[in-house]
Every structure is written in C-alpha cells, then in structure tokens.
Amino acid sequence: MLQVEHLSYDICEEGRQSEILSDVSFSVEDGEMLVITGPNGGGKSTLAKLLMGINKSTAGKIILNGTDITEMSVDERAKAGIGFAFQQPPRFKGMTVRRLLALAAGRTVDEEECCALLSSVGLCAREYIDREVDATLSGGEMKRIEIATVLAKQHDVCIFDEPEAGIDLWSFSMLIKRFKKIHEAKKESLILISHQERIIRMADRIMVLSGGKIKTAGKAQEIMPQLFGREVEHCACGQQKGGELCES
C-alpha cells in the first residue's frame, strides 16, 4: 500500500517561491489501479517524480507498505518496490536493449524472455534486442522499451507517466491489454497518469489534479460522468463497458 500525506513541492524562480503541488494526500491499495488525470501543467508529472524520488518534496510524507520512504533516494525506492516509466524516456548510448532489460530485471534475462517483454509492448522483438538505446530509436520506440523495462520486474507499485504518448494505436491496444492483465493479477498496484479515456475507464479510482491540487477523487463510476459528461455503462458482470474492459 502506498500512502501520500500532505505532499507539497515548491520551486524558487528569480527569487520568488512558486508552489507546484499543494497539500496532496491520497492512498493506493494493494492491487489497485489509480489513474491520475487533469489539465496540462496541473502537477501530474511532478507528483510522479516526487513519488519516485527524482524530485524532493518540500513537505509531506510518502509511506510504502508501512515504511516512510520520504528521504530515500531513487535507487532505494526502486529496491523498496517502486517502478517508474518517464513521460520522456532517457537514452543510453552503448547500452543494448537486451542489457537494459537485464539491468531492469536485476538478473540474467534470456532471449525468449526479452522477446516476450518486447512483444508485450508492440515491438518486433528480434529486431530490437541487440540495438543500442540511443538516438537511432524513435520516441515511440523508446517509450515502449522503457515500459518493457518496468514490466521486467515485479514491483509493489508501478508508476506510468502518460504511457500512451508517442505510440501508435496498435501498440496502444497491446499496452491496454498488458495493463489489464497486471491489474487482474492484483500483485502490483498501478498509478497511471493519462488523458486517454480508454486508460481512465480501466481505473478502480480516478484522481483529478489541477493547479497543483486535488480537485476531485473517487471511484471511477463516480468521477467518469464529471470528466466525460455521461453516465458510465456497466455490463451484467459489473465491469465498465468500453474498449478492452468487458469481455462478457
């Protein structure tokens, strides 16, 4: 379980203090999917970086499975069980995709497993495992490879910052299926930052962040009409209709 208590983040620009996040509190239960959405510039990516320890909060606490991780480094948080996928993935000249997947998994990963991971994010695996993670890869390719690195190891909490950015519709559909599979297994909690309706519809709970503050939060069926101006339909099994969500 992840608990965020009164998290705030300020920056100093030209001698003036600017508040980017203000008193943000929420929790993510074990196996739960939380989708964070809201307008651009609302603080969503900043919040994700604070959770991973890339930026340091100016106030508040972050607690993972009962342990206060607020002062932990990025490496320490990764070891504690947090996985993270950037909105704009970094590149590593001289590093092959195969090696990157092994580093992410923390163990030797054979060719069959590498191919399975890459295929799960919509890449023709054998064309990529020995390529370098450098400028020869497009933004969409980099995005998918980074998501594969997060999937290479089981985490307690996985954070994906706009996973739909820069990928084609076919690859996006594969990601939706993969997120659904992770969610159904209930072994990892998911935090997805997204504007995409198909991703938002997958959520157990939705949180809307705007102006650095939580504007609203609640169960998906409560928040969806506020976002899209219509009632959320449900099938007989109780799942939300739409996209990949209901197969009955």
Side-chain angles (χ1 to χ4, degrees):
M1 180 179 181
L2 181 71
Q3 297 167 274
V4 177
E5 300 178 354
H6 307 292
L7 204 65
S8 296
Y9 180 63
D10 299 341
I11 59 173
C12 187
E13 293 181 321
E14 298 179 352
R16 286 189 288 182
Q17 204 79 0
S18 298
E19 190 175 56
I20 307 301
L21 282 181
S22 176
D23 197 27
V24 171
S25 296
F26 65 94
S27 63
V28 185
E29 300 290 339
D30 294 341
E32 184 178 36
M33 180 187 289
L34 172 69
V35 173
I36 301 174
T37 192
N40 291 332
K44 301 183 300 299
S45 292
T46 297
L47 174 59
K49 291 175 181 177
L50 292 177
L51 296 178
M52 193 65 232
I54 297 165
N55 293 339
K56 183 174 173 55
S57 60
T58 50
K61 288 184 178 181
I62 302 169
I63 300 168
L64 178 65
N65 298 327
T67 300
D68 189 339
I69 64 169
T70 311
E71 300 301 324
M72 285 188 181
S73 66
V74 173
D75 288 347
E76 289 170 330
R77 294 186 197 206
K79 290 176 182 176
I82 298 183
F84 187 87
F86 287 90
Q87 187 175 348
Q88 298 295 330
R91 299 172 186 267
F92 306 96
K93 185 174 175 59
M95 171 95 58
T96 65
V97 172
R98 186 197 301 261
R99 177 61 176 155
L100 184 62
L101 289 172
L103 287 173
R107 55 182 170 79
T108 301
V109 180
D110 62 26
E111 185 167 317
E112 183 178 355
E113 187 176 356
C114 283
C115 288
L117 285 165
L118 293 172
S119 296
S120 74
V121 294
L123 293 176
C124 184
R126 297 187 190 281
E127 295 182 8
Y128 285 90
I129 57 175
D130 292 317
R131 287 186 63 177
E132 289 190 10
V133 188
D134 59 13
T136 63
L137 294 169
S138 70
E141 289 170 327
M142 279 298 310
K143 186 75 172 180
R144 283 175 277 179
I145 288 168
E146 186 191 40
I147 292 172
T149 66
V150 176
L151 300 176
K153 180 181 179 181
Q154 186 172 313
H155 302 86
D156 291 324
V157 179
C158 287
I159 303 166
F160 295 91
D161 191 0
E162 296 196 23
E164 71 272 18
I167 62 174
D168 57 73
L169 289 174
W170 181 77
S171 298
F172 176 66
S173 293
M174 294 196 72
L175 285 179
I176 291 288
K177 291 178 181 178
R178 189 59 189 250
F179 288 140
K180 181 183 177 184
K181 187 175 181 180
I182 295 170
H183 187 215
E184 287 176 342
K186 298 296 183 183
K187 293 181 180 178
E188 301 175 73
S189 301
L190 294 174
I191 298 176
L192 303 180
I193 294 172
S194 180
H195 299 283
Q196 231 291 335
E197 184 173 349
R198 285 182 69 189
I199 289 179
I200 295 172
R201 280 184 174 273
M202 296 174 67
D204 295 309
R205 287 190 301 120
I206 299 168
M207 185 170 83
V208 180
L209 199 62
S210 178
K213 298 180 179 180
I214 297 175
K215 293 301 181 184
T216 188
K219 293 181 179 179
Q221 60 265 33
E222 298 169 351
I223 305 301
M224 284 287 290
Q226 300 176 35
L227 296 178
F228 300 108
R230 60 182 182 274
E231 293 297 324
V232 180
E233 297 181 76
H234 290 76
C235 68
C237 66
Q239 291 179 293
Q240 296 174 24
K241 288 184 179 180
E244 304 294 331
L245 294 179
C246 180
E247 297 177 352
S248 62

